[in-house]
Each structure stands twice: as structure tokens, then as C-alpha cells.
Amino acid sequence: MSRWALVPLKARQLGKSRLAGLLDAAGRAELVNAMLDQVLSALAAAREIDHVAVVTGEPARLPAGVLALPDAGRGLNAALGDGAAMLQALGASELLIVHADLPGVQAGDIDRFVRAGRPAGMALAADRHGSGTNALLIGGAAGFPVSGFPFAFGPHSLARHLAAARARGLSPALPRIGGLALDIDTPDDLACLTAPAVGTAAFASPSSPLLAQPTASRRTMPCLTAS
């Protein structure tokens, strides 16, 4: 069994535009790069992942050992579908899709998620609101082909992924794992990141430029902590 992780990565100029009111372009770029590094480091250390690929139009941004897959510019779900087909052609029998903006994810979170989903052949990790999908596992024990699932990432994607899974006879595991729940898109997400109970040392240290935003922007939010 060949176990792959696939990470979609937006073009640099498109990253985290909804944070423009809090972070300038340099700050947003620093945040994006730091989160990508965190996700790739977690995947590299995870015991349940053999190989890591990133679908992107900017392969020079990736570290050695990560396979760059081309992004044809047809949107997120098309890029993931193309990437899944390429990895299946390379022998992938299990595929984990995980977003690049999960600042708190650790290798143990990845391993727990994969193990939870493997018996059913699929798992979904909801965002902290319970409506989006931050990670998706397909393949494994159910024998479902890794390129045979219609990815539907975007607003309210969790319900669409659940419906598509059930239409194909799959009953996905839905583990709640804190490190997979907090993605950073909005000012409220950033407030969660910098909250002492949620932020990691790498992202919420006093010296971090991310804490240079106004105090009011760093109010305590109803964030999902690690389970």
C-alpha cells in the first residue's frame, strides 16, 4: 500500500486576502509560508504517510523531498482531482488531502485521523465551525480508488462530501481533532490562533509579528481546542 498526502497551495498573490485589514502583504506571506512549513513538517513526521505531494503553480516554494504536481488553473477541486489521478498512476492506494493553512497540526493529529478513517475507507475532518472540510482521507480498506471521489471543497463542503460519500456506499469517520479544525482565513480565525489556549508556540510567541495587530483584533474567540 502506498500512502500519499496531497496539499493544495494557492498562488502567492492570492493567499489570505481576507486578512488584509490586519496584516500587510509581507505579514500575510509570512503567515502563509509558516503554516505551509508546519503542515509539511507534520506530514513528513507522520508514521501513516509514505509520500507528500503539493499541487501548485509555484513549485520553487517547496522543500526537497516533496513532489510538486502542476496546477492547471481550473480551480481547487479540479486541481485536486488532477493530482489524485496523477498519484493513483504512481501507485497511491490511500490519499490524504489536507489544507496548507492549519497552523496547529502535528504529526500525531495526522496519524490519528488516518487511523480513524482507514477501516471505513474514508474520513472527514471538519473545520471549527463544523461546516467546512479541512482534511479528507480516501482509499484504504474500502478499496475505493483515490481518484474516484468528487472533491467539493469550499463553503459548506462537509455536507457535500458526506452526501457524495454516502451515495457511493461509504460511511466516513468524523474524528474531531483540534489540530485539523483551525484553519486561518478570517480575522476571527487569526484571533483564535493567537489566543493562549489555542495558538502554538511557533505562531503565538510574544515576538511573533502576528501579534503586532491591535489588541481588539486578538479578542478571545469560541475556538475549538485539541481533543
Side-chain angles (χ1 to χ4, degrees):
M1 182 170 69
S2 181
R3 307 168 301 181
W4 281 82
L6 178 60
V7 180
L9 180 62
K10 282 185 178 180
R12 198 184 309 268
Q13 70 271 18
L14 300 177
K16 304 307 167 191
S17 59
R18 282 183 283 177
L19 297 178
L22 293 177
L23 299 173
D24 60 16
R28 296 196 304 276
E30 180 181 353
L31 174 63
V32 167
N33 290 336
M35 291 192 293
L36 175 63
D37 288 347
Q38 181 67 26
V39 170
L40 293 181
S41 294
L43 291 170
R47 296 182 178 182
E48 301 295 338
I49 298 298
D50 297 321
H51 310 284
V52 179
V54 175
V55 59
T56 180
E58 299 173 342
R61 297 171 63 183
L62 305 182
V66 174
L67 176 65
L69 299 178
D71 183 347
R74 298 186 293 116
L76 171 61
N77 292 305
L80 289 171
D82 292 345
M86 294 177 200
L87 295 180
Q88 182 168 303
L90 292 176
S93 55
E94 185 175 84
L95 179 65
L96 168 67
I97 292 175
V98 60
H99 287 308
D101 60 351
L102 302 174
V105 70
Q106 303 291 328
D109 299 325
I110 300 294
D111 288 336
R112 285 175 58 201
F113 181 71
V114 171
R115 290 169 187 153
R118 189 167 285 149
M122 188 173 184
L124 298 167
D127 63 10
R128 69 186 181 91
H129 305 288
S131 60
T133 310
N134 283 346
L136 183 155
L137 178 77
I138 191 75
F144 198 85
V146 299
S147 65
F149 189 80
F151 302 121
F153 290 95
H156 307 292
S157 63
L158 185 65
R160 293 195 298 275
H161 283 142
L162 281 170
R166 289 165 180 162
R168 288 158 178 79
L170 298 171
S171 298
L174 296 167
R176 292 179 59 84
I177 298 173
L180 291 172
L182 178 60
D183 58 319
I184 306 300
D185 286 314
T186 68
D188 282 353
D189 296 331
L190 193 61
C192 282
L193 173 61
T194 57
V198 178
T200 64
F203 287 88
S205 66
S207 61
S208 172
L210 301 181
L211 296 187
Q213 56 186 287
T215 301
S217 300
R218 294 189 276 114
R219 63 193 181 279
T220 300
M221 296 296 299
C223 305
L224 178 66
T225 57
S227 59

